[in-house]
Amino acid sequence: MKVSAIDVTAERPYQVVVGTGALELLPQYVAEQRRIAVIHPPVLREQASRVRTACDCQTLSIEVPAGEEAKTGETLQRCWNALAEAGFTRSDAIVGLGGGATTDLAGFVASTWLRGVTYVSVPTTVLGMVDAAVGGKTGINLSAGKNLVGTFYEPYTVLCDLSFLESLPVEEIRSGMAEVVKAGFIADPAILSIVEDDPAAALDPRGEVICTLVKRAIAVKAAVVGDDLRERTSVGRDIGREQLNYGHTLGHAIERDQDYRWRHGEAISVGMAFVAELSRRLGLLDDDTAARHGMVLRALGLPTSYPAESWPRLRETMNLDKKTRASTLRFVVLEELGRTAILENPDEDLLQASFEALSADAGSVTGGSEGRSETGESGTLG
């Protein structure tokens, strides 16, 4: 077993343990708990059984739908009922085993059951490891939008066992890499160079490159959330946790437009390409860095465009984004590698032109997981 730990120094400090075999450490983290409930999707039934066998305490298995279908009020109610029927108390713990959607749900269950019980997150995808499981955000979806109901609730620990990645389809690894690339643009440009040097190695779940990339991306998020757990209101270049939403305003709208048939990373990839083009047209970002978005993302096989005719639907959906405040549409934009800012209410024609520029990009990759000058244009750095 070869693991390393990344400290998250937020309100309740914890560690993210990364490496092959990290799951073997779970028993020591729940040793003081009387019982544990393992929330997991059906495909991880065997792994959940291994967890229950390894832990020297009573266990309860709660199966939930795979992916975003788990993050509903109905599934949440079912989890609560299962805990109630089993008589779970504050002496017990919840383990979230699965991808980002599962850990989002499990964390929300843990934060709300008896106003909060011990929670251990065991993400099994790249996306879960570098994004959803770190930072204390939990949530479920509504028909009106993604993650509109949620809490800030830090886990007791996060165990990122890289052996889980070996059984994933390449599409799932590729999706997670979008969030890794995001970390490169907003904070750690070395990530971009590593990907550019060998995109295929970045997608190899058994190699050292993916381990390095996962650790670097987690370190970026750990540093950001340690400084700003609850996403204070950002203004202009004074930006905290909100920088992690780079590419997400449009990305979340695309997810909803696709009824979540696209993987999260695919949608966020288009969102980053869009906001890079928006930043370029506003004169905030140089041409080369804007173009680099498309080159890095496409090298990984990620999409960077979306049909132009979908813009009216997407624009309407963005009004419901969590970052929209007092009817002010907000974007996290990039001024240079590692420096983000908040842009409020950019010109509507500029928004549409930036989006249509992506659709005209002949080098774009089409997403989908089924089978699963503009200098001087209006906009306010708010």
Side-chain angles (χ1 to χ4, degrees), residues 7-306:
D7 294 323
V8 184
T9 55
E11 293 176 5
R12 297 191 302 178
Y14 60 95
Q15 289 188 323
V16 182
V17 182
V18 186
T20 301
L23 183 61
E24 297 174 23
L25 300 176
L26 177 61
Q28 74 182 50
Y29 286 106
V30 296
E32 297 182 3
Q33 268 61 53
R34 187 170 61 100
R35 291 179 298 182
I36 62 171
V38 184
I39 297 177
H40 64 92
V43 71
L44 293 177
R45 190 175 298 153
E46 182 179 341
Q47 289 86 342
S49 179
R50 283 169 43 203
V51 169
R52 296 195 302 273
T53 301
C55 295
D56 186 23
C57 60
Q58 299 178 38
T59 60
L60 171 68
S61 176
I62 304 177
E63 284 196 3
V64 298
E68 294 294 327
E69 292 182 10
K71 294 169 59 174
T72 67
E74 181 181 0
T75 302
L76 178 63
Q77 185 74 41
R78 185 157 58 81
C79 290
W80 284 335
N81 287 337
L83 296 175
E85 291 171 6
F88 261 59
T89 72
R90 289 182 178 172
S91 298
D92 305 321
I94 291 173
V95 176
L97 175 70
T102 301
T103 58
D104 277 356
L105 169 71
F108 189 85
V109 173
S111 72
T112 53
W113 183 251
L114 301 178
R115 298 188 176 88
V117 296
T118 297
Y119 174 57
V120 177
S121 182
V122 185
T124 60
T125 65
V126 175
L127 179 62
M129 293 176 184
V130 305
D131 185 38
V134 181
K137 275 188 176 181
T138 77
I140 60 171
N141 303 332
L142 302 179
S143 59
K146 187 175 180 180
N147 295 329
L148 292 180
V149 178
T151 61
F152 289 98
Y153 194 70
E154 294 161 284
Y156 183 64
T157 194
V158 180
L159 301 177
C160 299
D161 192 328
L162 299 179
S163 65
F164 281 118
L165 305 183
E166 297 177 9
S167 62
L168 293 178
V170 67
E171 293 82 5
E172 191 63 46
I173 295 174
R174 183 177 289 128
S175 172
M177 277 296 147
E179 289 285 355
V180 175
V181 168
K182 180 198 74 178
F185 278 113
I186 69 171
D188 184 4
I191 287 174
L192 306 177
S193 298
I194 293 170
V195 172
E196 290 166 330
D197 286 346
D198 195 341
L203 299 173
D204 181 1
R206 294 174 174 83
E208 287 297 317
V209 172
I210 197 168
C211 180
T212 298
L213 290 171
V214 167
K215 289 179 180 178
R216 295 190 79 103
I218 291 174
V220 168
K221 186 159 189 181
V224 172
V225 302
D227 290 337
D228 179 21
L229 175 66
R230 299 181 182 274
E231 197 169 291
R232 59 178 170 77
T233 300
S234 303
V235 179
R237 297 174 182 85
D238 180 16
I239 181 171
R241 181 173 182 150
E242 199 170 355
Q243 67 188 282
L244 298 173
N245 292 322
Y246 186 63
H248 284 55
T249 302
L250 178 65
H252 283 166
I254 290 175
E255 285 185 282
R256 186 182 175 201
D257 191 60
Q258 284 288 325
D259 197 23
Y260 302 106
R261 291 187 299 270
W262 275 32
R263 286 178 167 88
H264 175 74
E266 293 170 337
I268 298 310
S269 178
V270 178
M272 285 190 286
F274 165 75
V275 81
E277 176 64 13
L278 176 62
S279 301
R280 186 191 72 82
R281 288 173 177 253
L282 281 166
L284 300 174
L285 188 65
D286 66 272
D287 293 350
D288 289 344
T289 304
R292 193 179 187 186
H293 284 68
M295 290 187 289
V296 172
L297 294 167
R298 288 194 293 269
L300 290 168
L302 286 161
T304 55
S305 70
Y306 202 72

